[in-house]
Amino acid sequence: MDDVQKTASKVAELIADHIEPAVQYEFNVLHGKGGRPCLELEIYRGLSTPYYYKHEQSRTAFVRRGDRSEASTFIELNNLVLRGKNLTFDELPSTYMTNDLSFTLFGATYKQITRNTLQGKRDLVSMKLMAEDGRITNAGALLSDQGGLRQSRIVCTHWNGLQKGAVHEDASDDMEYAETSLIMLLRNAEMFIQNNSRHAWRVVGMQREESHDYPKKAIREALVNAIIHRDYQVIGSEIHVDMFDDRVEISSPGGMISGHRIQDCNPMNVPSRRRNEVLADVFARLHYMDCRGSGIARMLEPYKGYEKQPTFYSDEYMFLVTFPNCNYGVDGLVDMESLAVSVKERNTSSVEIDTSTAKPHTSTMKTDTSTVRPHTSTVKPHTSKEEMPLSRNVYQAIENYLMQHPRAFQSRNRELLLTMARQIQGSFQRKDICRKYGVSPSQAAKLLQKCLDIGWVKRERYGVYRFASAVKDGE
């Protein structure tokens, strides 16, 4: 430009007239091609967010999305306001008071990890889970046993095949975890992925090499990041875990706090910025994460040497991590659980004796017949009167529960449960369910666990179960 001073004065005037509050900046004069002067405007990051653009009677806050500047949404504007006050959403007080919520699980986990006992209000205030006046913060509500914020839930689905469909038709398992501590949400989501994954092995050279569908370390890191960095101001949203034959996808509400898109960045060099400072601090104390911005690196590290790598995607609304199934399409793998079941069944059948052809054993050794005891075996599922319910009280309780809670069990499990309640009269094992009803070991295990939790099934001893003889009203 010909007149650098005149241009600088005009720019300074426009900034003063149209930007509020005042920003800090400076001009630098550079020399371009042929020695012609150029004007560089350097603007410093401001702390008094949000900054508005004033035009006529309107005031608008803009945010950067990729290579575009767009008007901020309500939630983005609220985050800018909190940032300007040096606050985060999880620091703000909730509607709960001290006596409204409990922290039993958090206290037990804290003691197990740190070897220190949680000192009630003093420690809760120190960790910013409670305010001095006894009001529980949003972070405290999220870590309480009751999971005080309704948007803190995780929806998990295991889809058949490679695409989503109708849950009741195209999903082999689905669960929604809610109204509990973030610690329990993390454990439940991890267990769901583990229960719906193959644990296989193959022979490499002279060694047996175990191969899991998904590295536990990578899955844990992704779930922790989803829980810690999600935007809890987005009501009616949740974290989603979607499992397919070839991959697992973990998505959480809210994009990167910087406004960048992860696919436009080098994931190994993304700076650590935390949307929920209090939750990040607590999870670091519990050794679930660190604060060095190494989360993405720890997701990638277990995949070294694999052809397919995790991928990352984000926009202004969500953050998505996709982990490829390490065993998908790999030949020569043996499923460890299925093999264990078949071996147990083979060993059990090998000791059965056909009494019609058995010959009495003769020996020159004398036997003290007074100490001989008859052999007793575990009672197997009843089959001679297959349409007689085990106990009308229990059967009716199960039937009533399924009518009142149609989403508590998938349709195929509802039918299976009622059939089992009609047919099984005595003790049984998980393998009996697999063999008699043709279900997988993992499906049988999950069904049994839910029945144990509700109280329909009792454990006689390790691995042996029996339907309860009676169930209280309402169960």
Side-chain angles (χ1 to χ4, degrees):
M1 56 193 65
D2 296 325
D3 192 335
V4 173
Q5 185 59 45
K6 181 179 179 181
T7 303
S9 298
K10 183 61 178 178
V11 171
E13 179 184 341
L14 290 171
I15 291 175
D17 290 344
H18 294 284
I19 305 298
E20 184 182 81
V23 299
Q24 289 186 312
Y25 61 91
E26 67 177 37
F27 291 111
N28 300 307
V29 178
L30 308 176
H31 294 283
K33 187 175 181 179
R36 291 179 59 80
C38 300
L39 186 65
E40 178 188 73
L41 172 63
E42 184 176 359
I43 306 174
Y44 298 104
R45 178 179 294 278
L47 301 178
S48 303
T49 58
Y51 289 86
Y52 295 95
Y53 170 68
K54 299 184 298 180
H55 179 65
E56 296 179 349
Q57 301 300 317
S58 66
R59 295 165 75 246
T60 306
F62 286 83
V63 294
R64 195 74 173 169
R65 297 195 181 102
D67 58 354
R68 309 186 313 274
S69 292
E70 298 179 358
S72 62
T73 64
F74 172 78
I75 292 175
E76 289 171 331
L77 182 60
N78 196 38
N79 281 326
L80 289 171
V81 172
L82 291 175
R83 193 190 307 171
K85 296 179 179 180
N86 199 27
L87 292 173
T88 55
F89 174 76
D90 56 348
E91 290 182 78
L92 300 179
S94 70
T95 58
Y96 297 102
M97 297 299 292
T98 306
N99 296 329
D100 296 332
L101 302 173
S102 60
F103 294 88
T104 305
L105 176 61
F106 174 68
T109 306
Y110 182 78
K111 184 173 183 178
Q112 179 184 7
I113 300 299
T114 67
R115 307 299 182 189
N116 297 318
T117 301
L118 193 67
Q119 300 297 323
K121 180 180 179 180
R122 186 188 72 180
D123 284 347
L124 293 177
V125 171
S126 174
M127 296 181 194
K128 296 186 179 180
L129 303 182
M130 180 188 297
E132 290 285 357
D133 61 1
R135 294 179 67 184
I136 303 297
T137 64
N138 287 327
L142 289 166
L143 287 165
S144 69
D145 298 327
Q146 295 77 16
L149 300 187
R150 61 183 181 179
Q151 63 267 35
S152 64
R153 59 181 180 266
I154 300 182
V155 176
C156 301
T157 311
H158 183 206
W159 301 97
N160 295 319
L162 306 180
Q163 301 295 331
K164 294 182 180 180
V167 173
H168 295 294
E169 298 176 5
D170 301 309
S172 59
D173 193 11
D174 71 291
M175 293 294 295
E176 179 177 323
Y177 304 107
E179 298 180 356
T180 187
S181 169
L182 294 184
I183 296 172
M184 184 57 68
L185 289 179
L186 173 62
R187 294 176 182 176
N188 287 338
E190 280 187 299
M191 186 60 64
F192 181 91
I193 295 176
Q194 181 177 336
N195 288 340
N196 285 282
S197 300
R198 282 196 310 165
H199 308 290
W201 60 270
R202 59 183 170 184
V203 176
V204 179
M206 299 296 291
Q207 301 292 325
R208 192 182 81 166
E209 182 179 277
E210 292 190 3
S211 179
H212 300 280
D213 282 357
Y214 304 101
K216 293 182 179 180
K217 181 179 178 181
I219 292 295
R220 159 66 71 89
E221 192 65 35
L223 289 172
V224 168
N225 274 269
I227 290 171
I228 294 301
H229 298 303
R230 68 151 290 184
D231 194 338
Y232 287 97
Q233 295 184 80
V234 183
I235 307 298
S237 65
E238 58 272 326
I239 294 171
H240 280 268
V241 175
D242 292 294
M243 299 187 69
F244 303 89
D245 290 354
D246 66 337
R247 68 194 186 281
V248 61
E249 298 177 351
I250 301 174
S251 62
S252 57
M256 296 179 66
I257 192 171
S258 64
H260 295 99
R261 299 185 303 175
I262 186 67
Q263 59 270 28
D264 297 334
C265 307
N266 181 347
M268 301 299 292
N269 296 324
V270 175
S272 176
R273 295 188 64 183
R274 295 172 291 280
R275 178 177 276 112
N276 301 296
E277 292 281 357
V278 179
L279 293 179
D281 176 67
V282 171
F283 269 58
R285 292 171 186 252
L286 298 178
H287 300 169
Y288 288 144
M289 64 172 292
D290 62 33
C291 298
R292 293 175 292 185
S294 60
I296 291 180
R298 287 192 288 185
M299 294 181 215
L300 293 171
E301 193 272 335
Y303 277 87
K304 286 182 178 178
Y306 286 92
E307 180 181 354
K308 294 182 179 179
Q309 294 291 307
T311 59
F312 305 91
Y313 172 85
S314 71
D315 55 28
E316 59 267 36
Y317 306 109
M318 54 93 75
F319 191 98
L320 171 67
V321 183
T322 302
F323 292 110
N325 185 334
C326 297
N327 294 327
Y328 183 73
V330 178
D331 296 328
L333 290 175
V334 179
D335 185 76
M336 296 169 69
E337 187 170 358
S338 299
L339 179 64
V341 171
S342 64
V343 169
K344 286 182 180 179
E345 291 179 351
R346 185 170 63 249
N347 291 341
T348 302
S349 62
S350 66
V351 298
E352 293 179 354
I353 300 175
D354 183 355
T355 56
S356 64
T357 60
K359 297 295 188 296
H361 176 71
T362 59
S363 172
T364 58
M365 296 180 63
K366 293 183 179 180
T367 305
D368 182 1
T369 56
S370 63
T371 61
V372 176
R373 295 290 184 270
H375 174 71
T376 58
S377 60
T378 303
V379 180
K380 293 185 177 181
H382 182 80
T383 57
S384 60
K385 299 179 181 179
E386 293 194 346
E387 295 305 321
M388 294 180 59
L390 55 98
S391 165
R392 193 157 299 279
N393 171 270
V394 179
Y395 183 85
Q396 191 63 53
I398 295 175
E399 198 171 40
N400 291 341
Y401 183 93
L402 294 177
M403 292 178 62
Q404 296 170 12
H405 305 84
R407 287 185 55 83
F409 292 84
Q410 288 186 314
S411 57
R412 65 170 184 170
N413 284 340
R414 292 159 58 88
E415 296 170 3
L416 173 59
L417 185 57
L418 289 172
T419 302
M420 290 169 54
R422 284 196 303 269
Q423 297 179 357
I424 300 179
Q425 300 297 311
S427 304
F428 62 94
Q429 296 178 302
R430 186 179 70 172
K431 66 179 181 181
D432 297 325
I433 300 176
C434 299
R435 183 167 50 224
K436 185 174 179 64
Y437 303 108
V439 300
S440 67
S442 60
Q443 181 187 353
K446 285 180 282 189
L447 183 63
L448 271 174
Q449 187 58 55
K450 291 189 72 170
C451 290
L452 285 166
D453 294 340
I454 296 174
W456 296 334
V457 169
K458 304 296 183 182
R459 183 181 283 107
E460 287 190 341
R461 59 184 183 275
Y462 181 78
V464 181
Y465 308 90
R466 179 187 291 273
F467 275 97
S469 58
V471 176
K472 296 179 181 179
D473 292 339
E475 292 188 344

